[in-house]
Amino acid sequence: MRERHLACLGPPGFHRVAYREWPGPAGAPTLICVHGLSRNGRDFDAIADALSEHYRVVCPDMPGRGRSDWLTSAADYSFTFYLADSVALIARLDVKSVDWLGTSMGALIGMMLAAQRGSPIRKLVLNDAGAFVAKEGLNRIGAYLGNDPAFDSLDALKADVRANNAPFGPLTDDQWRKIALDCARKRPGGGYGFAYDPRIADPFKAGPVADVDLWSVWDAIQCPTLVLRGEMSDMLQRDVAEAMTKRGPKVKLVAFEGVGHAPALLSADQIGAVRDFLLA
């Protein structure tokens, strides 16, 4: 694995997007893995290690997260910006096509790219997001996102991460610790905070947000698609997921018991579902 970065251009000027790359075997296809709203590319370390026997795996931090630059204006934290950065990353990788694995926000970015005419996305894996995003899940996340709390210790930060992300499912203490470490940053005045710009939560501050209807995007997707769903998800509801199997790319749907939003892609069954689909 190696760490790299890419200079991307937006209206305010250039900003740095960091990414981690597992080179894989010579001539291997490329898989891009994109994280959820407040997370970063380290969420995919386990599945990247597992798939790097067959793939070149690339895991970026979207702007304002992880090791990537924070943007000058909070208004630029938008799908328009993320799509442009994703296209720049694909161009940097110098390949004709890529497979895409996205969790939550990363899944929606993948959908929007795959729906475009001439899209370079060959196969698409959506982790607990889809054609209709329920407001219940959005407002739950908005209730704690962007508060920019300070913690005296990593253990205190881990406790907060574990409480807010309990829907990830039954994980071990070591797994929770890694999840916490991956989203922690040292604060200039001491202690720890989260490794994201709190302004990514600005859309939630105006009040409760509404459902997000992306059925027109879904219906435009033609590539083979796999949808993963936590059975207790409040973001990708069961009726929506089932309806997605009957229109658009008519996907394969895999649900995981005891999990909400979103499956952490750390267990053998979750990693195996992705591997089996991509390598079929």
Side-chain angles (χ1 to χ4, degrees):
M1 186 276 298
R2 58 181 179 174
E3 295 196 16
R4 304 195 65 190
H5 73 272
L6 172 68
C8 293
L9 180 62
F14 282 97
H15 58 280
R16 178 180 180 271
V17 171
Y19 64 94
R20 292 159 64 84
E21 179 178 357
W22 285 253
T30 297
L31 172 67
I32 297 178
C33 304
V34 180
H35 55 81
L37 181 62
S38 65
R39 300 294 305 171
N40 60 69
R42 296 299 304 267
D43 281 356
F44 299 101
D45 283 355
I47 198 166
D49 283 338
L51 293 177
S52 63
E53 295 180 13
H54 309 281
Y55 272 92
R56 174 195 189 188
V57 185
V58 177
C59 304
D61 297 342
M62 286 289 108
R65 289 87 165 171
R67 293 152 294 118
S68 292
D69 286 345
W70 292 12
L71 300 178
T72 303
S73 170
D76 289 330
Y77 290 121
S78 66
F79 281 100
T80 299
F81 221 97
Y82 304 147
L83 290 168
D85 284 359
S86 298
V87 170
L89 176 61
I90 294 171
R92 153 67 71 87
L93 299 176
D94 193 23
V95 290
K96 292 182 178 179
S97 65
V98 299
D99 291 348
W100 187 281
L101 165 59
T103 293
S104 194
M105 180 187 78
L108 301 183
I109 296 170
M111 281 177 52
M112 293 174 189
L113 288 172
Q116 300 299 315
R117 182 171 58 86
S119 173
I121 295 183
R122 185 182 68 112
K123 287 188 174 184
L124 177 64
V125 181
L126 306 178
N127 186 20
D128 214 61
F132 188 89
V133 184
K135 62 185 177 183
E136 290 84 356
L138 292 171
N139 287 310
R140 175 180 59 82
I141 292 172
Y144 66 81
L145 186 68
N147 295 327
D148 198 23
F151 303 94
D152 293 334
S153 67
L154 285 171
D155 283 340
L157 184 146
K158 183 183 80 169
D160 191 80
V161 167
R162 191 165 185 165
N164 288 330
N165 296 286
F168 283 7
L171 305 178
T172 68
D173 192 65
D174 284 345
Q175 288 171 330
W176 279 117
R177 183 168 182 80
K178 183 182 186 305
I179 288 171
L181 286 172
D182 290 345
C183 70
R185 64 179 169 89
K186 289 186 177 181
R187 298 176 68 95
Y192 297 88
F194 291 121
Y196 64 79
D197 184 346
R199 296 176 305 157
I200 64 173
D202 279 11
F204 297 94
K205 293 180 180 178
V209 297
D211 298 322
V212 179
D213 188 328
L214 295 171
W215 280 111
S216 61
V217 175
W218 181 249
D219 288 336
I221 297 172
Q222 298 183 20
C223 65
T225 303
L226 169 68
V227 174
L228 308 176
R229 178 179 179 269
E231 281 204 337
M232 299 184 296
S233 177
D234 58 0
M235 197 76 73
L236 178 58
Q237 296 179 341
R238 180 178 309 205
D239 59 338
V240 174
E242 291 176 351
M244 289 168 64
T245 67
K246 299 177 174 65
R247 55 190 283 190
K250 297 181 180 177
V251 301
K252 178 181 180 182
L253 173 63
V254 178
F256 301 105
E257 294 182 2
V259 180
H261 181 78
L265 304 182
L266 295 174
S267 62
D269 59 335
Q270 294 174 14
I271 293 173
V274 176
R275 180 196 293 114
D276 292 347
F277 170 76
L278 291 176
L279 299 182

